[in-house]
Amino acid sequence: MNGSTLYKTAADHAEGLPGAQLEHPFGDDWEVFKVRGKVFMLMTEVPGRPVVILKADPGEALDLREHNSHITPGYHMNKKHWITLEGGDGVDKELVGELVTESYRLVVSRLPKAERPVDPHTYGSTTRAAR
């Protein structure tokens, strides 16, 4: 998957998540997706390379980085809790969708129950972490 396809796939998936909103708090070069005011995905270019930055469970993030050269620690984010995804071999629509949904679920799970647009324990139950 190339960088522009990565962007479109990630953005299309994020836009379909309940309560997700796109904002540009850091200028036009950054697309920031939030749920109830909390960031779950950022998209920008890192020296000419489109990247998607997502929240991830620390153990899952480590495993993803070890097994995919296109997944690195979160760019300008907490390296333990965030990952950066680039386009390349092994990065397909299914993986992008799973990682976006998992990032969203992790953020939703930290919201007060009354503010959650979905139950984070059951929403997107086909994701990698729920298997």
Side-chain angles (χ1 to χ4, degrees), residues 14-119:
E15 288 168 357
L17 297 171
Q21 293 183 310
L22 171 62
E23 298 180 11
H24 294 93
F26 311 121
D28 292 339
D29 292 344
W30 286 83
E31 292 195 1
V32 179
F33 285 85
K34 297 181 178 183
V35 58
R36 302 295 192 258
K38 302 292 183 185
V39 175
F40 70 91
M41 183 173 84
L42 302 99
M43 298 191 316
T44 192
E45 287 197 12
V46 178
R49 297 183 333 254
V51 296
V52 176
I53 304 159
L54 299 160
K55 192 164 187 71
D57 172 83
E60 180 77 5
L62 183 61
D63 186 55
L64 286 165
R65 289 193 306 263
E66 287 177 354
H67 293 95
N68 193 315
S69 63
H70 300 289
I71 299 175
T72 57
Y75 178 73
H76 280 304
M77 303 296 278
N78 179 307
K79 308 299 185 217
K80 182 177 178 182
H81 295 278
W82 291 83
I83 57 172
T84 297
L85 178 62
E86 295 181 43
D89 292 340
V91 177
D92 59 21
K93 288 184 178 187
E94 182 181 351
L95 176 64
V96 173
E98 286 179 4
L99 294 175
V100 170
T101 298
E102 181 61 14
S103 179
Y104 170 85
R105 289 176 63 234
L106 287 167
V107 171
V108 167
S109 72
R110 305 285 297 181
L111 295 172
K113 286 188 180 185
E115 292 182 29
R116 295 177 181 174
V118 297
D119 180 344

